[in-house]
Amino acid sequence: MKNDLPDGRLVIPSMQAHCSPAEWQARVDLAACYRLVAMYGMADMMANHISSRVPDEDDAFLINAYGMMYEEITASSLIKVSHDGTVLSQPDFGELNYGINKAGYVIHSAVHEARPEVACVIHTHSWASMAVSSLQCGLLPLTQTAMRFLHIGYHDYQGVVLDLAEQASLVKDLGPGEALILRNHGALTVGRTVGEAFNWMHRLELACRSQLAAMACNTPFSPVAQPVLEDTWNNYQPGTRRPYGVMEWPALLRSLDRIDPGYRT
């Protein structure tokens, strides 16, 4: 089976008839998230991964096929995997014969198994998050957006994440939080919905970019008192305000539908 069209698009057979309506909706949202991460400049070609728990299935999540660019991910191209790494379903990729990225499996299976309330996990290697991850100071609370991450977790670099033994420390460093800086590596966010996880990652990316811009000015930072930092952080916590993504996600999908609706196939 030849998968490509003359215009460069991949032909992936639809998976809609092979999954529940709830799973199909999860696939559509996850495919949209891949396209949005690319659109907002946070993708690393075909590296990195975003996953979504399969509704009503405690031991299954969806993840990208390793070999596809973020901007060509569709609802049907996603692969369903169990927590132990068994591929539960995937489309016919024909001669491409795509599988999943092992590092992606190690990271995402660890979080989904340890945090059952988490529906979506996003991991990026954006230039800004990689730069901040390499700084000893980490992410500084320089802006209101960065104050949202006042108590962000940090995970020390242990090499490419291929060893299942690293899962325990990864989960411990994430703790109950929504964001994690992977030292000398990149960033990770989680959410109870795909929209919430994307919101956290988008704001984390803005915080990293603004910090690097401020540091480049080589002038003293404007300090903020610790009580104000704590109060601001608290204002952004899930128990204080409405969940992230409730308002933003439908608007983001409308934006994507206007310019890049192919993710729904």
Side-chain angles (χ1 to χ4, degrees):
M1 172 183 169
K2 188 171 175 59
N3 294 82
D4 58 314
L5 293 176
D7 62 1
R9 288 182 293 120
L10 289 178
V11 179
I12 303 294
S14 176
M15 292 288 288
Q16 188 168 6
H18 304 284
C19 60
S20 69
E23 179 182 330
W24 181 251
Q25 185 59 54
R27 286 174 170 271
V28 169
D29 283 334
L30 183 56
C33 192
Y34 275 98
R35 303 274 184 124
L36 287 163
V37 166
M39 192 168 81
Y40 278 86
M42 296 184 284
D44 182 9
M45 291 194 289
M46 62 188 63
N48 294 151
H49 1 84
I50 311 170
S51 64
S52 179
R53 187 180 300 276
V54 178
D56 305 318
E57 295 187 37
D58 294 336
D59 186 40
F61 62 93
L62 302 164
I63 198 165
N64 56 315
Y66 189 39
M68 294 181 66
M69 301 286 279
Y70 272 33
E71 62 265 25
E72 60 184 355
I73 297 293
T74 65
S76 294
S77 73
L78 297 162
I79 297 176
K80 181 159 72 169
V81 188
S82 69
H83 290 171
D84 68 4
T86 301
V87 173
L88 302 175
S89 68
Q90 67 182 70
D92 180 6
F93 290 112
E95 61 189 25
L96 296 173
N97 195 30
Y98 287 140
I100 62 171
N101 180 281
K102 183 176 180 181
Y105 162 71
V106 172
I107 293 170
H108 291 255
S109 63
V111 177
H112 283 296
E113 191 163 15
R115 298 275 302 273
E117 82 283 7
V118 165
C120 180
V121 182
I122 303 177
H123 170 46
T124 63
H125 290 168
S126 72
W127 64 267
S129 64
M130 286 193 295
V132 170
S133 77
S134 70
L135 301 176
Q136 192 172 61
C137 65
L139 184 65
L140 301 174
L142 300 180
T143 62
Q144 178 176 276
T145 300
M147 293 172 202
R148 177 172 169 172
F149 302 97
L150 184 64
H151 300 295
I152 194 170
Y154 291 87
H155 178 68
D156 287 340
Y157 188 69
Q158 301 176 35
V160 178
V161 189
L162 301 175
D163 190 345
L164 291 172
E166 190 174 344
Q167 289 183 315
S169 60
L170 180 73
V171 168
K172 180 182 177 185
D173 292 334
L174 175 61
E178 293 79 22
L180 183 69
I181 296 289
L182 305 172
R183 294 276 193 190
N184 310 100
H185 185 174
L188 181 145
T189 62
V190 304
R192 292 164 293 182
T193 64
V194 174
E196 185 176 48
F198 180 80
N199 193 296
W200 280 108
M201 183 56 77
H202 178 254
R203 295 304 195 279
L204 181 55
E205 177 72 9
L206 290 179
C208 289
R209 291 184 187 184
S210 61
Q211 175 174 323
L212 296 171
M215 295 177 79
C217 294
N218 196 30
T219 60
F221 301 138
S222 176
V224 178
Q226 190 65 33
V228 176
L229 292 176
E230 295 290 348
D231 285 345
T232 304
W233 172 83
N234 186 62
N235 281 333
Y236 284 110
Q237 296 317 293
T240 307
R241 68 183 310 283
R242 70 175 182 276
Y244 291 108
V246 172
M247 292 181 65
E248 299 90 346
W249 190 245
L252 286 164
L253 292 185
R254 291 194 300 270
S255 175
L256 198 56
D257 284 336
R258 289 192 297 270
I259 61 175
D260 192 15
Y263 70 96
R264 292 184 177 274
T265 61

